Every structure is written in structure tokens, then in C-alpha cells.
Amino acid sequence: MAQVSMTVNGKAVSGEVEGRTLLVQFLRDQLRLTGTHVGCDTGQCGACVVHVDGEAVKACNMFAGEADGAEVTTIEGMANADGSLGTIQQAFQDHHGLQCGFCTPGMVMSAAALLKDNPNPSEAEIREYLEGNICRCTGYHNIVKAIQAASDAQ
Amino acid sequence: MPKDSGIGASSKRREDVRFLTGKGKYTDDMNVEGQAHCYILRSDVAHGTLDSVDTSAAADMPGVRGILTGEDFVEVGGLPCGWQVTDRFGEPMQEPKHPVIAHGKVRHVGDPIAVVVADTLAEARDAAEAIDVSITELSAVVDMAAALADGATKVHDDLTNNLCYDWGFVEENKDAVDEAIKGAHHVTTLELVNNRLVANPMEPRVAIGDYDASTNDHTLYTTSQNPHVIRLLMGAFVLGIPEHKLRVVAPDVGGGFGSKIYHYAEEAIVTVASKQFGCPVKWTSSRSEAFMSDAQGRDHVTKIELAMDENGKFLALRTDTMANMGAYLSTFSTCVPTWLHGTLMAGNYTTPLIYCNVKAVFTNTVPVDAYRGAGRPEATFQLERVIDMAAREMGIDPIELRMRNFVQPDQFPYQTPVAVVYDTGNYQGTMAKLLEVVDRDGFAARKAASAANGKLRGFGVASYIEACGIAPSSLVGALGARAGLYESATVRVNATGSISVMTGSHSHGQGHETTFAQVVSDMLGIEENAVEIVHGDTAKIPFGMGTYGSRSLAVGGSAMVKATEKIIKKATKIAAHLMEAAEVDVEFKDGQFSVAGTDKSVAWGEVCLAAYVPHNYPLEEIEPGLEESAFYDPANFTYPAGAYACEVEVDPDTGKVEICSFAAADDFGNVINPMIVEGQVHGGLAQGLGQALLENTVYDENGQLLTGSFMDYAMPRADDLPSFEVDHSSLTPCTHNPLGVKGCGEAGAIGSPPALVNAVIDALADKGVVHIDMPLSPSRVWAAMNQAG
Ligand code: FES
Ligand code: FES
């Protein structure tokens, strides 16, 4: 067991973890931030995407210990300060970019990272960027539309 | 003008806010006080005798609370099959026991052998490694034809052979069909495979058992599409727990697509473990486990023959199918290749004579059951492929050939030769709508442009029909269903006029909380936000059959409408009393009761309050309160239909297929929320195109699952698909449910595979390619191009 400390959604947190504890397990099981999901065990689905020091990261592919000292943002930290939906979240609702909602936190986190690097992506660029996020419900059509709308709104 | 609320409005989904902020409550997000975790040790061989399972070392490992093996379940029932199919000779199907935990034998990779319950999942997993399992491996039965051969190894020793049933439909038509085919001007024959798929909802299955010894109450939290069905199946048939002592909760569920309909072993395991070890027990499937324990889909091998006269008029159709059941019969496995498949073989056409033979086969593979579309995609695929092939052989345009054989708009209701009666439809209408959306005339120029870039361009269409809104209970009962298939709703008007609707339907992405509220708010003339939809908890909702087969609105919505009508009736009585008017003179509109020809009126809220504060109330005539329930058993299936078009480019050097465009024109009857309907079509299309282009479940000859993760099983990703053109404006309302709705959940997955394959074959026709089995991977396409001609 080792002690880890990090900032999650602006709050300092710490906990005891095993060497094998994944960041996603630390977030879900210890911090009870259950918005970050686990959809696979091979780093393929992207349901677990969070931001670590500003970069999109698959939280199932990183040990909690590796995030020691980092700034982590999860889906729970994406709403506006007044609790209303952030621009990307709102665009997902407006354009029906989610159905069951299970892939959605990862999609929103990936979309945010994309728009940070490329504020005006083309449809092809959006589709290529989302390679690492699987959605089984929406056929991606409305996710792409939502990200385009968020890009226009920003 | 599009409406901004109620029926027909694209109301934004209220459920989205919790999902977008990480506040969804999926089963794995729940943690019950004091819970332990379990890990399931599964067979890594496909077939073998289970000689011993020694758990003694594991039991002493840190954190372990207890271990269950097959021995612990010998006395209880097996996991039940919900549909008994009768074979061609009038005999019931062969039905083996499906033990909760393997006993005596393991029959597929993933068959549970032992369950370790420990303080943490890591400890349970560590302990499972210390279990000593001794298996004598037997030769595995994987290929269906080999499984049916004389002397084949048997999956179940106590059965006669590996044939679950040999089903013929319509058996009385068999000779006439044979005759018609013999004498026909032209017969087109196609042999094809409908590839095995894994549903892969993004949320893996989870089950938490929580037993309260002080009251003898069991609670099961599970990722299910139908909590009441699970309560009935597990309570009555497996563990013998009466309904009032078993509560099943399916909270937010992250997609199902059929795979979360069935009663699974893990639900019984956590229920038993919680009682036995005195703590709540949680099981969370990993994706790898999902690949070997979630029921899989499709897996048919079919030969289809279509007989025509010289004008291309369809005369007769004969099909011969082997359908893989896997190692055990999953809950609805047996009805998929029969009653959900044979009854759809008429498609959108007037073929007068049809005979469909299906042999269901046991193999040492994961059980197969309904997956989005279930039987109907298999029927549609073979039919729409053979028609395309026939068009080419006869030199008739494929759309023209379909048009010549469509059921005509004035022929409805249309009695097919395969039992079902289509109530309404307009297949010419959806085809015409499709042709408005796609620029078919411009295809030649696009093909030339592709050719100039060294690419082969193809255009394909497909029509489809499906039977949704499952189903009239008396009919399915006569066909072997061991359940009724009605739906229920309770509409509770609260004292100040807001509404709680308790529905037996279950939402796992479909957005019922929004659409169902739209319907009730529209009927009552109150705000959508004044209506809440409650689902997914047997302690809260009336007994209902849940969500699958595109039935929620057609059946569950109808129950809700019936209950709301009862509310309006009673509220009208109360309003009449309050206004001192005759009931017949009272009108209800926009949330206001009024007396015709007077200025007397009372608002909805006043009537509701009077019902709960009955100071001035007709107590001698009616009871206080305003709450009504209804059960709705449909008179018929509904028959959504449509026409799809796909355009592809094939790279002749690599065999890679790119989807350039995809258009869908659907007839779903009336539409409550167009935004949600279109989303359902998009999702269905992605799954159908995934089947056609990417997805395949592969076992080697020893029954090892080669595609056991997202590394090897190709899920469609964003850059595999185009944006879609979808239209649902050519519609014919269903005639036998109050909303005139048909169902939209499965259509995309049914109609899209043949449209895509037809397009690819069109692109490759000059190379002499007549068929390629799905998925149309680059290697298969390349091989077909280079072997043909
Ligand atoms: S859970 Fe992290 S990629 Fe699937
Ligand atoms: S919304 Fe269900 S997986 Fe994307």
C-alpha cells in the first residue's frame, strides 16, 4: 500500500492504494466518482477517459500511483460553476449525442481534449479523433453533430 | 411547424443531464453497505468432463468468505428456456438442463466452474487462482454441419443428438413449394452465412445480491431490460423464492440490444451467495467475461431458393437454415430462428408459397439468443440478397424487381402465407421516399469519378419488414411461448396534479422518461415536466414484461394510454360533479374541464385536489383518489417497414470497403419524438453496418473463442461510418394500437446489412463476384475479387 495525493476536479484528495490499483479504480471505488466508467479491459473503449494535467488519458491504462501529484479532471468537473451544463455537455443534450449514457463521460472528455487542440475540427477529424471511444448506441452521427455544434458555440 | 412539446415534438431528453454530469446510477455505481465481491472462475476449455474442483487451498486465502461450485446448485432448477418449439413431426424440442454452475461437464469456454466471494475483487481473483480444477478435455463440437453428422460428439450426453429441433414452416406448404420451384421459369439459389455477433452494450453486466436475514427478503440489483421477468424466472424456476420476497432492481442500464433480456447464472449466483455468506455480494463482468458469458447473436447458415416467372414475379421461396443455439438454451433462443424468422420470410412481397426449414443445433460455444432484430435480420438478409442476385440473373433492375413484387397499398390488411397479417404499410411509398433522398441518377457520374481514382463504386438497396410490438399473448402461447407478452402501466395523479407513471417497460438508452412523459402530458394538456416516469424496480412498478423487440411504445405506451384514458374518465366524473353538470356535457381540453355551451370550467389541478380532499365529491358514485392501472395485450404485431440505400467505394488493391453514403426511409407509423426515433435508426444502422463490414465472432476448431476482446472483435468506430440520411415521413399508422405507432428500435440493424452487401456486390459485379459472406473485411473482399471470374 502506498499513499497517493492528487487534485481531482479542483479538490485535493489522497488515499492508500496498492501498486496494481488503476486510476479508474481509485476514482470510482475510493473517491466514489462513478461518472468515469469501465467498458473494457484492453484499453479500447474510452469510457474511462479523464484529463490528467490537461491531457486526455484512459484512466484504466494508468496506475493511481502514476497520477500522484497530478491535476485530474473527470466528467463530474465539467459543468459550469453554477451547475449548468458546460458547452460540450449542452451540445450533447441538444443534438441527442447520447442514448444509454455509458460512453458519454468518456466522449465528453475526449471531445473537450479535441476542441482544446483543434477548436474547429472537420467531420473527418472528429471521427478520426474518436477512434479510441466506442459508442454502441448512437452510431456516432449525433456525437459528431454535437461536437461540431460545441465547436461553433465556443 | 414542428411542435415544441407533447406528441410529435423533439423534446430534449431529461435523462441526459444526469448522464452528462456523471450522475447516472448504473448498477456498478452502486455499493451496498458491507458488500463482498465475487469472481467467477470459468472454463478455459470448450468441452470436457469436470473431474474435480478442489477449493480447499483457495478457501484459506486472505479475505475469502466462501466459495460456491456446481455442487451447491444441484438441487435447484436450471436456467429456464422461455419458449418451447414443436418440431416438424409434432414433437417438443430437446431441452437440456442449463446448470447455474457447471456440474459434471463444461460445455463452452466461459462456463462457470466456481465462484469465490471475498472482501475485495482482487482477493477473490487471487483466490480463484488457487482453485485446483481437473478437466478431461473432450473433442469440441463447433461446426454446425459436423454437429449434426451421425456419430458426432454430443454436447449433452442425455440428449439423443445435437439437434434441438427440426422445424418446418409452413409444413403444409412444403410439397406445393417443391412443385412450384421445380416448374418455375427461373430459380435463384444462394448459400450464405449470417455471422455470429456479440451485442456488446458498453456497460458490462453487473449483479448485486442483497439478502436481509431479518425479513427473509432478497434484493437483486441487475443490468436487465426486464426486471419482472428476471424476478419470475429466477424466483419461480431456479431458486424457488416467492415474488413478494424477491425485489429486482434494474437502475440506469447502459445499453442492452437484447443481451440483457435473459436470466443469467450470475444473478442466481449473487442471490444465493448473499444468503449463504451473510453479506451483499457484487459481481461485475469484465469485457473479456462478457465475450464468453453474454448471449451472442445470429449465427445462421442458410440456403435460399427463389422461384420466379419470366417477368420476375415471385412464385415460391424455400429456405434451409442451421441455427446455432450454442451449448445451452438461453431464455428466448429457441423462438428467434423460428417464430421471429420464418414468419417474416414473405418480406414486403406477395410470394404466394413459402417453406422455411430450420434445424437448431447444440455446439460447444457460448449460448446464442436475440440480438437487435432477432430472427428478422436473418430473414431480411437472405431475402434481400437473393432478390438482388435474382435481379442480376434476370437482367431486371433490382428496384424494379422489388416494385413488381411489393404488396400493393390497397392489399392491406395483407395475409401472408407465413401466418402473420400485415395491418398497414406502403412499400412503394418508402421506396419512393428513398429515391427522393438518394441521387440515383447521378450514380453513373460518381462511379466514373471513382473509377478515375482507381476505385470501384457500387449502389445497393434493400427493403425490410419486421414484426414488432411483441406480442399477442394468445398467439405466442399457441406457438410455444411460456409467457404472456402484454405490458402494464399505472398512472398515479398526485394531489396537486403532477403525475407519476409506473411502467413495465424499461429504458436502457431509449429515452422513455422523455417520450412517455410527452404522451401523457399531451393527453392531459399539462406540462411534460409535470409527468415523471418510474421504471426498473419491481417494488415500484406493476408486473410488466420489459423492453425488447421494439415493443415499449407500441405495447407499454398503449398500456399507459389506456390507464390515462381511465384517469380522464374518472376525472371527468369528478369535474361534472364540481360543475354540477351532466358528465356527457363535460369536455376536457388543454388541461381544462368545461361544460359545452356555458362558461363553467374547472382546471385539471382543482379536479385532482378534489379527488384527494373529497369534501365536495360524489363519494356514493366513485372512490376518492386518482390512480389507474392498465394492462395492454396487443391484437397483432406491428409491422414497421422501409427501404435503405447504400453507396460504397471498394479499393481493388486492398479490398477495403468505404461507405460513401447511407440513406434510410422508414415507416414507423406515428412518431412521438422524431429526434429520438432518428437516434434509434442511427444506432441500428451502425450495428447493422458493423455486422456487414466488421464484426465477427470466431471460434477455432477446439471451441476456443478467438475474438474475445475489443482487440480482436471489430466494433464499429466513428471513422468506420458515415453520417446517415434518415427519413420517416412516409408513414402508415398502425391500426390496432391507440397511438398508431409501430416501433423503431431494430429497423436499422435489420435493413442495413443487405443494403451494404448489395452495394459491394454491385461494385464488384464486373469482376464476376456474386456473393461474399459478412463481414466484408478487406481480406474477404480482396480474395473474392481475385478468385472470381
Ligand atoms: S475502460 Fe478504459 S478504455 Fe475501456
Ligand atoms: S450512448 Fe450508449 S454507448 Fe454511447
Side-chain angles (χ1 to χ4, degrees):
Chain A
M1 287 292 201
Q3 175 85 11
V4 289
S5 305
M6 62 188 89
T7 309
V8 177
N9 301 328
K11 249 176 60 190
V13 298
S14 55
E16 292 271 308
V17 297
E18 284 185 68
R20 62 181 167 180
T21 304
L22 301 169
L23 176 58
V24 70
Q25 293 170 328
F26 179 67
L27 293 170
R28 287 183 57 83
D29 300 343
Q30 294 200 30
L31 304 184
R32 294 284 189 242
L33 291 172
T34 53
T36 303
H37 294 155
V38 178
C40 73
D41 45 13
T42 52
Q44 293 281 313
C45 76
C48 61
V49 171
V50 298
H51 297 172
V52 176
D53 293 330
E55 297 290 326
V57 163
K58 287 180 170 168
C60 72
N61 260 1
M62 188 175 188
F63 292 116
E66 292 177 276
D68 192 37
E71 288 267 351
V72 176
T73 308
T74 70
I75 188 68
E76 288 90 346
M78 294 298 281
N80 296 325
D82 65 356
S84 62
L85 296 179
T87 309
I88 297 171
Q89 292 168 315
Q90 189 60 58
F92 269 70
Q93 185 185 31
D94 291 347
H95 296 277
H96 190 27
L98 63 153
Q99 291 181 22
C100 78
F102 198 81
C103 72
T104 309
M107 285 287 177
V108 170
M109 300 312 284
S110 284
L114 165 65
L115 294 180
K116 191 169 80 115
D117 294 345
N118 179 0
N120 288 303
S122 65
E123 176 175 344
E125 285 171 334
I126 295 172
R127 287 183 179 275
E128 201 192 313
Y129 191 87
L130 294 182
E131 256 271 312
N133 289 80
I134 304 177
C135 173
R136 193 53 150 168
C137 295
T138 64
Y140 305 100
H141 180 109
N142 284 339
I143 292 177
V144 172
K145 257 173 57 183
I147 296 174
Q148 284 170 323
S151 140
D152 291 344
Q154 273 184 356
Chain B
M1 264 290 285
K3 292 174 71 177
D4 56 10
S5 75
I7 292 173
S10 285
S11 300
K12 287 180 198 168
R13 299 198 332 163
R14 56 179 66 179
E15 40 276 85
D16 289 358
V17 178
R18 65 178 189 268
F19 296 144
L20 281 162
T21 52
K23 293 287 174 356
K25 283 274 170 292
Y26 301 92
T27 312
D28 194 43
D29 300 341
M30 303 186 47
N31 294 288
V32 184
E33 189 57 36
Q35 93 194 347
H37 296 262
C38 77
Y39 178 79
I40 300 178
L41 181 67
R42 297 176 184 276
S43 176
D44 55 8
V45 303
H47 197 194
T49 52
L50 196 47
D51 303 325
S52 65
V53 182
D54 180 354
T55 61
S56 50
D60 292 337
M61 298 274 288
V64 173
R65 303 209 189 174
I67 297 174
L68 298 172
T69 66
E71 281 296 326
D72 296 288
F73 289 85
V74 171
E75 300 299 320
V76 304
L79 303 173
C81 176
W83 202 300
Q84 186 182 58
V85 169
T86 302
D87 75 6
R88 290 175 58 196
F89 315 103
E91 296 297 320
M93 65 190 190
Q94 295 203 79
E95 190 173 1
K97 183 172 180 182
H98 183 178
V100 175
I101 297 181
H103 190 253
K105 235 180 156 188
V106 289
R107 294 186 179 86
H108 68 86
V109 168
D111 218 355
I113 293 174
V115 179
V116 183
V117 178
D119 294 347
T120 69
L121 179 57
E123 287 167 334
R125 201 182 284 140
D126 290 345
E129 282 181 23
I131 297 177
D132 191 6
V133 180
S134 155
I135 293 178
T136 306
E137 204 171 338
L138 301 169
S139 68
V141 184
V142 181
D143 177 74
M144 285 193 277
L148 292 180
D150 283 346
T153 305
K154 286 197 283 185
V155 177
H156 296 277
D157 301 333
D158 49 342
L159 303 187
T160 317
N161 49 28
N162 293 318
L163 179 67
C164 177
Y165 54 73
D166 177 357
W167 181 79
F169 185 67
V170 174
E171 197 58 32
E172 299 77 68
N173 287 354
K174 188 176 185 303
D175 294 342
V177 169
D178 291 347
E179 273 311 298
I181 288 178
K182 227 180 268 160
H185 169 79
H186 185 85
V187 179
T188 297
T189 305
L190 174 60
E191 292 185 34
L192 54 84
V193 174
N194 202 296
N195 43 328
R196 186 188 278 232
L197 304 176
V198 178
N200 276 321
M202 292 316 297
E203 177 204 28
R205 288 188 297 115
V206 181
I208 307 172
D210 185 9
Y211 175 69
D212 183 340
S214 70
T215 58
N216 195 26
D217 284 329
H218 296 264
T219 304
L220 170 69
Y221 303 93
T222 182
T223 48
S224 173
Q225 301 178 209
N226 30 237
H228 267 295
V229 173
I230 301 306
R231 188 177 78 164
L232 181 65
L233 291 178
M234 185 175 87
F237 296 100
V238 184
L239 300 181
I241 304 170
E243 282 100 325
H244 67 292
K245 288 292 168 196
L246 173 59
R247 173 182 170 205
V248 177
V249 185
D252 286 331
V253 172
F257 317 112
S259 70
K260 291 175 182 166
I261 299 171
Y262 324 116
H263 173 40
Y264 285 101
E266 295 82 1
E267 293 166 327
I269 286 170
V270 296
T271 302
V272 166
S274 176
K275 182 170 182 180
Q276 196 146 326
F277 305 127
C279 56
V281 175
K282 181 177 191 174
W283 171 76
T284 300
S285 175
S286 67
R287 181 59 58 186
S288 302
E289 275 184 288
F291 272 99
M292 53 184 162
S293 66
D294 289 7
Q296 303 182 345
R298 315 279 193 261
D299 205 350
H300 286 192
V301 175
T302 292
K303 176 179 175 190
I304 179 165
E305 296 157 282
L306 174 64
M308 287 157 287
D309 72 10
E310 54 281 7
N311 299 316
K313 197 88 187 130
F314 302 163
L315 302 175
L317 188 70
R318 183 167 61 198
T319 76
D320 230 309
T321 289
M322 286 184 293
N324 207 331
M325 295 285 103
Y328 305 102
L329 297 179
S330 175
T331 312
F332 286 116
S333 55
T334 48
C335 73
V336 174
T338 50
W339 301 109
L340 294 180
H341 168 249
T343 50
L344 272 299
M345 284 313 309
N348 311 62
Y349 311 102
T350 54
T351 318
L353 286 167
I354 296 175
Y355 180 71
C356 177
N357 179 256
V358 177
K359 294 182 180 71
V361 187
F362 292 109
T363 59
N364 292 114
T365 60
V366 174
V368 178
D369 208 322
Y371 165 62
R372 201 171 195 166
R376 292 149 289 172
E378 294 89 325
T380 304
F381 184 72
Q382 45 179 296
L383 190 56
E384 293 296 316
R385 280 291 300 125
V386 82
I387 290 172
D388 237 57
M389 189 182 244
R392 221 169 277 285
E393 289 177 358
M394 301 274 288
I396 302 173
D397 175 83
I399 294 178
E400 169 61 25
L401 182 61
R402 286 176 171 86
M403 291 290 224
R404 278 184 206 173
N405 288 284
F406 276 158
V407 177
Q408 298 299 309
D410 60 6
Q411 286 180 284
F412 294 94
Y414 180 74
Q415 170 70 62
T416 70
V418 275
V420 292
V421 180
Y422 302 158
D423 61 337
T424 54
N426 181 352
Y427 311 140
Q428 290 78 359
T430 45
M431 185 61 85
K433 184 50 81 178
L434 181 74
L435 295 175
E436 269 174 41
V437 176
V438 300
D439 169 25
R440 197 182 185 207
D441 294 341
F443 176 71
R446 294 193 296 277
K447 188 173 170 77
S450 295
N453 284 327
K455 300 280 172 62
L456 305 169
R457 201 173 185 97
F459 175 84
V461 295
S463 294
Y464 76 89
I465 183 152
E466 57 166 331
C468 295
I470 293 172
S473 294
S474 57
L475 174 65
V476 295
L479 302 181
R482 290 164 169 161
L485 286 167
Y486 45 82
E487 196 47 89
S488 63
T490 295
V491 175
R492 176 180 302 154
V493 180
N494 301 308
T496 61
S498 69
I499 312 273
S500 303
V501 179
M502 279 62 74
T503 169
S505 298
H506 186 275
S507 185
H508 30 278
Q510 296 87 343
H512 296 169
E513 290 167 36
T514 302
T515 40
F516 279 28
Q518 285 178 254
V519 172
V520 174
S521 86
D522 202 288
M523 289 180 73
L524 297 178
I526 61 174
E527 290 207 357
E528 283 176 24
N529 279 339
V531 184
E532 71 155 345
I533 305 297
V534 179
H535 63 96
D537 182 345
T538 59
K540 294 182 182 166
I541 61 170
F543 187 92
M545 298 305 292
T547 288
Y548 38 83
S550 308
R551 71 194 300 272
S552 295
L553 197 57
V555 192
S558 296
M560 185 178 69
V561 168
K562 296 276 179 203
T564 308
E565 283 169 353
K566 292 186 192 175
I567 292 282
I568 294 172
K569 196 152 185 264
K570 183 169 177 186
T572 304
K573 273 196 196 347
I574 302 168
H577 176 86
L578 292 177
M579 294 186 288
E580 298 176 344
E583 202 185 314
V584 290
D585 296 330
V586 175
E587 284 176 357
F588 180 53
K589 197 164 175 270
D590 297 333
Q592 200 76 17
F593 295 88
S594 54
V595 180
T598 74
D599 60 357
K600 283 191 199 170
S601 75
V602 283
W604 168 251
E606 293 173 62
V607 173
C608 301
L609 196 62
Y612 289 95
V613 187
H615 295 164
N616 171 18
Y617 195 84
L619 282 168
E620 54 294 339
E621 280 173 56
I622 48 174
E623 297 163 10
L626 204 44
E627 173 167 327
E628 299 286 352
S629 291
F631 282 72
Y632 178 79
D633 204 297
N636 190 355
F637 293 90
T638 63
Y639 300 95
Y644 289 2
C646 180
E647 211 164 297
V648 297
E649 243 184 13
V650 181
D651 183 334
D653 296 329
T654 62
K656 180 154 173 38
V657 174
E658 195 191 314
I659 305 170
C660 307
S661 65
F662 199 99
D666 293 291
D667 174 359
F668 296 135
N670 294 332
V671 164
I672 306 300
N673 183 320
M675 175 190 83
I676 288 179
V677 165
E678 286 161 21
Q680 287 293 310
V681 177
H682 298 153
L685 291 177
Q687 291 185 356
L689 296 172
Q691 167 169 31
L693 211 49
L694 299 158
E695 299 177 40
N696 202 18
T697 311
V698 184
Y699 293 88
D700 74 6
E701 69 278 9
N702 300 316
Q704 285 298 330
L705 177 60
L706 300 183
T707 50
S709 82
F710 288 152
M711 311 277 272
D712 303 298
Y713 185 93
M715 293 283 278
R717 314 230 176 188
D719 58 355
D720 294 314
L721 299 169
S723 285
F724 307 114
E725 293 277 351
V726 302
D727 183 282
H728 46 82
S729 64
S730 172
L731 66 89
T732 55
C734 170
T735 55
H736 56 81
N737 65 45
L739 292 166
V741 297
K742 295 185 177 178
C744 65
E746 297 159 294
I750 294 171
S752 58
L756 182 135
V757 176
N758 289 344
V760 173
I761 299 303
D762 182 56
L764 305 182
D766 293 345
K767 306 233 172 241
V769 177
V770 293
H771 181 70
I772 308 174
D773 275 324
M774 300 185 290
L776 271 47
S777 60
S779 69
R780 287 185 179 194
V781 172
W782 191 89
M785 282 169 63
N786 288 284
Q787 277 157 16

